[in-house]
Amino acid sequence: MELSIVIPAYNEAESLTELIQWIRRVTDPLNLPYEIWVVDDGSSDGTWEVLQTLKAAHAPYLHAVRFAQNYGKSAALYTGFQKAKGKVIITLDADLQDSPDEIPALYRMIVQEGYDLVSGWKKHRRDPPSKTIPSRIFNFVVRLFTGIPLHDFNSGIKAYRSLVAKSLDLYGEMHRYIPYLVKASGFRRIGEKVVMHYPRKYGRTKFGWERFLYGFLDLLTVSFLVRFGRRPMHFFGGMGILAFVVGLILVGWLVADKLYQLRVYGAVRREVVQQPLFYLGLVAVVVGVQLFLAGFLGELLLRQSPQRHNYLILEEL
Ligand code: UDP
Ligand code: MG
């Protein structure tokens, strides 16, 4: 199999017929073995019935799986990637906002130009400003955080070398950070292609304003996991030592000062417990110990997790 097209679909019944026809119009003339995988992410609008009808008309090309409930876009992509057999895997949104006309060029960028991942850039994005403006800020922050010079991290249209897609451990809403995860897995050739973008024709968007809040929290999670996922003690222990030592110095200083005053003047001007520094020091010591505990717990959890030996082998001779 040369090419797999993976499409996550949640309540996209109205769009799918047009989308599949359009994909076939573009992909049939390429004359290469390809397949389409639609993942119905627990739709309740008849998406699955539409897929059953489409299967009859596009039998050898079209495949579909149906989730028991709405697990989210990351879960749908993950499942599509596991099913896909193509050397190149291309994802598209189901809502006709991404253009199947991009498929041939994306395919060539992977096969001929040797990219591991090509991410679509919706340069002229056809969405309301309530979405495009926060999205610019979001992309700016992610660029700063990750050091990857992409304009559009979270576009639904992307092309992957098979191994790259299959090694992605997507869950929750991690699909927003696919280029970062790909880079963190050790793949270097990450590219970008300006793509057409259309306004949503049918149905409505599945992500509201919360996307930005959740997106930012996920960015913290992802960058923590990428950096310290396999060595949590280095993160927590580092901060723990700092807090503990600062606390110890503060408390030690207060005690030494008291002993000195007792010795020299026979009395103290202020009791230790009447000084703000004492409470600061106390809190710092306690926080430091807590951080250490978190680090040890992290290491214990990691020891239980099969993930800790999840080493990606690129090639074998
Ligand atoms: N999607 C999904 N599961 C979800 C939410 C969305 O599979 O829980 C799919 C949706 O059907 C579409 C793609 O993800 O194919 C992008 O969703 P949407 O168009 O709503 O996002 P937007 O274009 O507004 O960013
Ligand atoms: Mg959309």
Side-chain angles (χ1 to χ4, degrees):
M1 186 69 62
E2 274 302 313
L3 172 63
S4 299
I5 295 161
V6 168
I7 302 166
Y10 177 47
N11 290 342
E12 308 283 6
E14 296 154 295
S15 306
L16 281 173
T17 308
E18 244 172 87
L19 179 70
I20 302 297
Q21 281 167 356
W22 190 356
I23 292 174
R24 293 218 44 196
R25 260 200 325 274
V26 175
T27 320
D28 281 357
L30 296 178
N31 268 324
L32 40 88
Y34 76 94
E35 58 177 5
I36 304 171
W37 278 95
V38 181
V39 181
D40 176 357
D41 185 12
S43 301
S44 54
D45 71 337
T47 291
W48 186 250
E49 286 68 28
V50 172
L51 283 169
Q52 284 174 318
T53 314
L54 286 172
K55 175 77 188 175
H58 305 278
Y61 299 101
L62 181 64
H63 307 268
V65 286
R66 182 188 193 183
F67 279 167
Q69 47 170 289
N70 180 228
Y71 293 121
K73 189 176 177 183
S74 287
L77 288 174
Y78 178 85
T79 304
F81 291 160
Q82 299 311 307
K83 295 282 184 190
K85 289 186 282 295
K87 288 185 204 150
V88 176
I89 300 177
I90 294 182
T91 60
L92 295 173
D93 281 355
D95 55 1
L96 294 165
Q97 289 199 265
D98 295 330
S99 166
D101 292 336
E102 307 288 350
I103 292 174
L106 286 171
Y107 174 78
R108 273 194 296 273
M109 285 179 81
I110 301 288
V111 175
Q112 289 169 10
E113 296 175 38
Y115 281 102
D116 294 317
L117 166 72
V118 179
S119 187
W121 172 15
K122 306 179 291 267
K123 195 169 180 180
H124 303 287
R125 187 168 174 183
R126 309 285 294 276
D127 274 321
S130 59
K131 215 156 157 181
T132 53
I133 294 169
S135 160
R136 271 171 188 258
I137 300 172
F138 170 84
N139 279 302
F140 175 76
V141 173
V142 180
R143 258 200 309 277
L144 276 186
F145 246 82
T146 63
I148 304 173
L150 291 184
H151 294 87
D152 190 356
F153 280 78
N154 184 22
S155 74
I157 181 163
K158 287 186 168 63
Y160 307 77
R161 193 150 72 78
S162 170
L163 177 66
V164 177
K166 287 186 183 287
S167 70
L168 275 174
D169 183 19
L170 295 180
Y171 58 91
E173 296 196 357
M174 301 297 178
H175 61 268
R176 292 201 181 90
Y177 303 103
I178 286 175
Y180 185 33
L181 296 172
V182 166
K183 185 185 170 200
S185 300
F187 296 104
R188 288 287 165 265
R189 303 218 50 194
I190 299 174
E192 188 168 51
K193 178 184 185 308
V194 175
V195 292
M196 300 283 284
H197 192 245
Y198 299 96
R200 204 179 229 284
K201 201 163 168 185
Y202 309 104
R204 46 192 293 273
T205 176
K206 309 301 182 296
F207 300 99
W209 63 268
E210 336 76 73
R211 69 166 76 200
F212 302 109
L213 174 63
Y214 296 161
F216 180 67
L217 292 174
D218 283 344
L219 178 59
L220 298 182
T221 307
V222 170
S223 61
F224 170 73
L225 285 178
V226 163
R227 278 175 225 180
F228 298 102
R230 285 176 212 268
R231 47 189 187 103
M233 191 47 155
H234 289 185
F235 179 77
F236 293 108
M239 295 197 302
I241 287 182
L242 192 71
F244 190 81
V245 168
V246 166
L248 220 56
I249 291 175
L250 289 178
V251 174
W253 158 257
L254 290 172
V255 171
D257 184 49
K258 172 169 182 159
L259 292 178
Y260 173 79
Q261 291 188 28
L262 277 178
R263 196 185 177 120
V264 176
Y265 308 110
V268 288
R269 282 169 295 172
R270 263 198 311 175
E271 291 296 335
V272 165
V273 293
Q274 286 171 335
Q275 306 189 43
L277 266 192
F278 172 68
Y279 295 98
L280 210 66
L282 207 61
V283 169
V285 167
V286 173
V287 166
V289 171
Q290 298 277 24
L291 283 167
F292 256 103
L293 272 179
F296 280 126
L297 285 178
E299 294 289 339
L300 279 178
L301 281 175
L302 190 64
R303 222 179 132 76
Q304 305 302 318
S305 146
Q307 290 282 327
R308 72 188 188 281
H309 294 314
N310 214 354
Y311 309 123
L312 181 66
I313 295 174
L314 267 188
E315 278 167 292
E316 273 183 39
L317 277 178

